[in-house]
Amino acid sequence: MRLERNRRVASVWLLGGAVAVLGLGAGGWYLYAGDDGYRMDRSVCQKPGLPAVTRTVGDLRFDGGPEGQPPSGAEQLTCTYSALTGTGDAAKDVSAVVKIHVGEEGAAQDPGDLMAPPESRRVAVDGVGEKAYAVSAFGNDYQGLVVLDRNAAVTVEVTGRTVQGSLDLSTARPAMIDDVRALLAALEG
C-alpha cells in the first residue's frame, strides 16, 4: 500500500514538473518572440525627432504628425518638419518627412513611397537595419533613405531649395542614418 502511494506521489511530482518545464519554456519563447520586434510610439516625431539632420541642414521645426491611417495589421505614422533660414540670396527652404511603418510580425516590407522618380538609382547603405538604401534626385535637392529592420520600415526624405535654385543636401545622408538609428532605438520593443 505504501509503495503504491509513493508511486502516485512520484507520478504527480513528475507530471507537475513536466508541466512546469513546458510552461516555462513556452513562456520564455513568448517573451523572446515578443521582444523581437518594434512597437509604435507616436511620440517619436518630437523625441527623438531629427536632431542630426537639424544640425546639418538648419533649424528644422516639427510641423505635424503623427498622421496616417494604419493599413490592416500594421501601424504607420508620418511626421513633417521644415526650416526657412537665411535672408535674401542666402535664404534656404528645407523640408523633411519621416514615415514609419510597424507591422505585427515578420520581415518589414519596403513601402515604395519615396517622392524620388522611379528611375532614381538606389545605393545600398550599410550599418543601419537589416536592409537600407539611399536615393538622391533632382541634383542633390532631394535625399531619401529607406531602412528595413525586423518588422519596421522607416523612410526619411529631405528636400531643399535656395533663392538661387538648387541646394546640395548630399551631406545630410550620414545625419539621416544617425537619426534613423535613434528612431529605431526609440521604437525598440
Side-chain angles (χ1 to χ4, degrees):
M1 184 85 152
R2 185 172 169 91
L3 181 62
E4 192 175 305
R5 183 174 179 270
N6 286 343
R7 282 187 183 163
R8 276 188 273 164
V9 169
S11 295
V12 168
W13 277 104
L14 183 63
L15 180 61
V19 168
V21 166
L22 289 173
L24 287 173
W29 177 251
Y30 173 77
L31 289 174
Y32 172 77
D35 287 341
D36 197 34
Y38 294 99
R39 288 172 180 61
M40 185 61 73
D41 178 350
R42 300 184 92 62
S43 68
V44 297
C45 290
Q46 294 177 344
K47 187 172 177 130
L50 295 175
V53 172
T54 295
R55 286 188 301 273
T56 303
V57 300
D59 190 22
L60 283 176
R61 73 174 185 281
F62 175 65
D63 290 334
E67 298 172 359
Q69 293 296 332
S72 175
E75 292 186 75
Q76 134 186 339
L77 63 89
T78 301
C79 314
T80 58
Y81 307 83
S82 65
L84 183 57
T85 61
T87 58
D89 289 348
K92 65 181 179 178
D93 182 12
V94 179
S95 297
V97 176
V98 176
K99 296 177 186 173
I100 302 172
H101 305 264
V102 175
E104 289 181 355
E105 59 186 56
Q109 301 294 315
D110 185 345
D113 57 359
L114 289 177
M115 294 184 297
E119 67 274 4
S120 298
R121 189 171 74 92
R122 295 178 177 191
V123 177
V125 174
D126 294 327
V128 60
E130 294 169 351
K131 180 181 178 184
Y133 66 88
V135 176
S136 293
F138 314 113
N140 277 317
D141 289 0
Y142 169 89
Q143 295 291 314
L145 175 67
V146 175
V147 176
L148 307 175
D149 194 44
R150 295 184 292 199
N151 64 324
V154 179
T155 303
V156 178
E157 298 177 282
V158 179
T159 59
R161 304 282 298 159
T162 67
V163 173
Q164 303 297 323
S166 66
L167 177 62
D168 185 359
L169 292 170
S170 59
T171 59
R173 186 178 297 167
M176 294 164 69
I177 293 168
D178 288 346
D179 283 341
V180 169
R181 283 188 192 114
L183 287 168
L184 288 172
L187 297 172
E188 194 73 49

